[in-house]
Amino acid sequence: ILSDAMIGPALAARVRAAGGRSFVVNAKSGQSFTQSSTDTFAMDVDGEDNYTQLLNHLNGKFAGPLKIVHLWGAGVAVEGVDGISQEQVERQQRMGYGSALHMIHALGAFALKQPMESRLALVTSGTQSILGDSSEALTVLQAPLWGLGKVIALEHPEVSCVRIDLDAAQSTEVSERAIFAELNQTGFADDQIG
């Protein structure tokens, strides 16, 4: 679980309570890949080598497909485009699109050396319209991550990729339950939920 502060820890606890194994990876600026406890790691989202180190470390520590939940892109919730600073745009691109791109590159390289089934869930919050009208405020900074998920599905068929867009007004518990339910499907029935 490439974890945010709220949903990631709750999701990890739910996975463990169900008898599964989960690893939480926290984003730490300027930090190389480090292990802070048995199932908790930290790394800089910009260090592409960190993703390879993470996959190498996790290799053999799980049964079945590797399920990666990318929550780093769901953390910056700025509705609309008014008042968005350049710093917010850059941070969201690094945390969302950039880190997901690093992860898919690492998964692709890893799969060439050692084929494995992997699932990647890219999680956003409030990027997709539910009502279908222009009155709904959307979180546009996360939209590139949603688009990247479409590209991954086409260019990396070895990775089962799903895009999950959470309702920004949902509680942490409802959000993590929805992600957990999706991860426990035999395969991703739909490649976009939200």
Side-chain angles (χ1 to χ4, degrees):
I1 301 168
L2 303 180
S3 185
D4 64 348
M6 304 288 285
I7 298 170
L11 180 60
R14 184 174 294 273
V15 168
R16 291 180 190 126
R21 183 111 192 247
S22 65
F23 299 91
V24 173
V25 183
N26 296 304
K28 299 286 183 189
S29 185
Q31 185 170 343
S32 61
F33 176 76
T34 57
Q35 185 171 1
S36 37
S37 71
T38 304
D39 295 334
T40 307
F41 306 90
M43 65 186 215
D44 189 332
V45 300
D46 295 324
E48 192 161 350
D49 289 344
N50 291 334
Y51 299 85
T52 301
Q53 288 178 5
L54 173 65
L55 293 176
N56 285 333
H57 185 81
L58 296 179
N59 186 26
K61 291 188 169 50
F62 52 88
L66 173 63
K67 299 175 185 177
I68 300 167
V69 180
H70 184 283
L71 290 166
W72 288 346
V76 180
V78 179
E79 293 179 350
V81 293
D82 295 333
I84 296 176
S85 70
Q86 182 66 30
E87 182 180 320
Q88 287 173 307
V89 171
E90 290 171 2
R91 180 179 178 340
Q92 181 59 38
Q93 292 311 302
R94 286 181 37 254
M95 294 297 293
Y97 184 91
S99 63
L101 190 60
H102 289 322
M103 178 54 78
I104 197 65
H105 285 166
L107 280 169
F110 195 83
L112 289 175
K113 293 186 287 183
Q114 181 175 338
M116 62 186 234
E117 183 183 355
S118 57
R119 297 180 186 162
L120 175 62
L122 299 176
V123 182
T124 57
S125 179
T127 64
Q128 301 303 302
S129 174
I130 296 170
L131 303 174
D133 64 32
S134 61
S135 68
E136 193 173 7
L138 299 177
T139 309
V140 297
L141 289 180
Q142 297 174 24
L145 184 57
W146 191 266
L148 178 62
K150 289 182 180 183
V151 173
I152 291 170
L154 294 171
E155 293 189 7
H156 290 276
E158 73 278 7
V159 177
S160 177
C161 183
V162 65
R163 290 157 287 148
I164 302 171
D165 188 53
L166 303 172
D167 181 344
Q170 283 182 166
S171 69
T172 297
E173 183 181 354
V174 170
S175 296
E176 65 87 4
R177 265 193 278 140
I179 296 168
F180 181 79
E182 187 58 37
L183 290 176
N184 285 302
Q185 300 294 322
T186 304
F188 293 134
D190 295 312
D191 68 349
Q192 56 187 25
I193 293 112

